[in-house]
Amino acid sequence: MQKGYFGQFGGMFVPELLMPPLLEIEEAMNTIVPSEAFQAEFKALLEDYVGRPSALYRCPNLSKRLGFNLWLKREDLNHTGAHKINNALGQGLLCRHMGKQVLLAETGAGMHGVATATAAAMLGLECVVYMGAEDVSRQSHNVKRMGLLGARIVPIESGTRTLKDAINAALRMWIAEQRTTHYCFGTAAGPHPFPTLVREFQSVIGREAKEQMLRKAGKLPDYVVACVGGGSNAIGAFHEFVPHGEVQLIGVEAAGTGEPGCHHSAPLNLGTPGVLHGAMSMLLQTKDGQIEPSHSIAPGLDYPGVGPEHAGLQASGRARYATVNDSQAYNAFRTLCREEGIIPALESSHAVAWALENVRSIPKKSDVLVCLSGRGDKDMGIIEEFEKNLKG
Amino acid sequence: MSILTERIRSANASGRKAVIPYLPAGFPDRERFWAEVSALDAGGADVIEIGVPFSDPVADGPVVEAASLECLEHGVTLEWILAELGRRKGAFRAGIVLMGYYNPFLQYGLERLGRDCAAAGVGGLIVPDLPLEESGPLRAALAGTGTECICLVGLNTPPERLAEYARVARGFVYFVSVLGTTGVRESLPEEVLAKLAQVRPAFSVPVALGFGISRPAQVAPFGDLIDAAVVGSALIKRLREGGDGAGFMKDWREGASLG
Ligand SMILES: Cc1ncc(COP(=O)(O)O)c(C=O)c1O
């Protein structure tokens, strides 16, 4: 199989001008990342700066009510509030090792932007964040955080003014600034080597979770569940378990409002194969190959594509991908707040919702491990708005 | 010989650089587009690049992007472009090239694309997000149809990659003049000259220079290192400002003969 493919998905569909910097990152991924020095530095940062290992928490109240053990991998406890920091620090370190001075990032919900701005500040790098103008206004809290951390935020007015357009703009800037700039791609999508590089940095989630499950439950989980936007927290949670065929891997996509014909963010369930942002994967597109707008109540899931490794895992049958709609995610959000005292990100609430919604088909006493990818502080405005509409 | 090579060489034989105007299909609107293509052709364009609009044009600057998105709003599809070209087959002296991103071509179906491009008289496809590594399926689908897959190279393409591109290059090779996106620039970087000195001997097909070119005087310094110039954003701007394809070609034909 060709380099950077997962079955028929993946590849490097980019302008020739981006091939040299991508090949340079691939080379760095294969030589610098596995080196002892890099791994030691990365590990120390994850421990002392991010606060890893993150807790594995068995929800006592919900487990009792549901009849199966609901385990949460607490990425929400990480510094900056989500799994995104694992990848941003990994790539920030790599940027420094490659001798570049600028970290460029795109962001939708703002979590990857905050994580990259944080890594840049700590590692002494400059940071530029591209963000759709629509997202700048939806996620003003994170925009302020990035500003405090010293990042320059560039609002993107083109297209749908969301994440997909921020990625287009970031790729364009990277073409011009490749000599000084590392593009810190925020999820396990995009051209090779990003899906593999991001998975490498995020697989700490599954590695820790496996060790913690064996210690606390004495066995592997029966299900590993994670929300899928681009797919980085999910692939990070899945990777360690892929060889264990008895562990069911469940990715959860956002079904939007769930009404027929509504915008959603479920390319694995409702999309078709195509090429966007440098990779062949599943896509929301018209029959003519134009990219369709996406929607989710969770800004971090609002993306018309998905990482190619997930498309590959779906095609091979190793992982299953389900959908959860906005109100199911909201209900899960409320449930976790009220019954466990944890305010989850709306993205992560999709994964929790899958477990709550499938209580009938999940065998009693199963161990269900859900990746709680982030915390919900950033989502207060969306929640307020959603509740206003519920009442109105 | 590819019709594209032939058109460029014949311009060179008459002592000038070939001129390759670029216009997104359906710009400024669906009717006037074909009138402008005819005017460019009648004005002596050697090859005409027709843009296939895409929602997410990563290699384009703001001028081309905005024009492409307008075309999508006008309902332009690849199907429409190929059907309209088919009806006009033989009507243009210029070679016809389609420039577009991979996904619309892929969704059209690569084999069907090869067939329909041949039927419509398309001499080549330029696919800016399809580097050598990924171009196998498209090349296979185009093989033997008379439609060539045009290679793009740039300032940062290392000699080994130039050599690999040279092995498969047909029609002409597109040299991207800037580390950046399409769009008019005041001046081209100085490294262009040095890089062209590497590119020129690597390829047996003609070398076309594109991205950032607005005035004939900009290409004059490259002398024999290039055979053709591609001009896109400047033409779009001109049409927006009330100009037309005929006036555009007049300036360029006169200017390019200096080179
Ligand atoms: C908390 C949280 N979870 C999940 C995601 C989705 O990203 P991915 O699918 O790459 O894990 C985001 C993206 O911003 C996020 O902030």
Side-chain angles (χ1 to χ4, degrees), chain A residues 76-88:
Chain A
D76 61 314
L77 297 179
N78 290 342
H79 180 42
T80 72
H83 67 293
K84 298 285 182 190
I85 190 74
N86 305 326
N87 171 50

Side-chain angles (χ1 to χ4, degrees), chain A residues 177-242:
Chain A
E177 307 294 333
Q178 54 184 269
R179 284 166 183 157
T180 54
T181 300
H182 173 73
Y183 184 7
C184 181
F185 205 84
T187 188
H192 175 71
F194 287 119
T196 304
L197 183 68
V198 175
R199 182 246 276 152
E200 170 70 24
F201 293 137
Q202 291 294 4
S203 57
V204 63
I205 301 173
R207 268 201 311 276
E208 284 179 8
K210 181 179 171 185
E211 195 266 322
Q212 291 165 320
M213 278 302 296
L214 289 174
R215 191 152 41 79
K216 295 186 178 208
K219 67 185 268 279
L220 294 179
D222 301 293
Y223 300 83
V224 176
V225 188
C227 67
V228 177
S232 69
N233 87 90
I235 207 67
F238 290 176
H239 187 58
E240 186 70 19
F241 296 102
V242 168

Side-chain angles (χ1 to χ4, degrees), chain A residues 2 5 11-21 23 158-159 164-165 168 171-172 175-176 178-179 272-277 280 283 285-291, chain B residues 53-60 65 69 72 77 79 102-104 106-107 128-134 152-158 161 165 176 178-181 191:
Chain A
Q2 231 181 312
Y5 272 82
M12 308 173 88
F13 296 85
V14 293
E16 173 57 34
L17 301 188
L18 282 181
M19 288 302 289
L23 296 173
S158 59
K164 129 184 132 57
D165 308 286
N168 291 337
L171 286 167
R172 287 175 186 150
I175 293 176
Q178 54 184 269
R179 284 166 183 157
T272 50
V275 170
L276 175 69
H277 296 147
M280 170 86 72
L283 273 188
Q285 59 180 331
T286 66
K287 70 170 181 24
D288 298 318
Q290 307 297 338
I291 307 309
Chain B
F54 181 50
S55 51
D56 295 79
V58 178
D60 285 306
E65 180 183 27
L69 296 181
L72 283 179
T77 62
E79 209 157 6
Y102 191 43
N103 198 46
L106 189 65
Q107 302 308 322
D129 58 346
L130 203 65
L132 191 63
E133 282 83 345
E134 305 293 351
L152 292 106
V153 298
L155 286 169
N156 60 348
T157 311
R161 286 183 74 80
Y165 274 114
V176 177
V178 289
L179 267 189
T181 51
E191 10 168 15

Side-chain angles (χ1 to χ4, degrees), chain A residues 58-72:
Chain A
R58 182 180 165 280
C59 297
N61 306 321
L62 278 169
S63 294
K64 193 160 158 203
R65 171 153 82 72
L66 296 166
F68 57 77
N69 293 309
L70 181 64
W71 299 89
L72 300 179

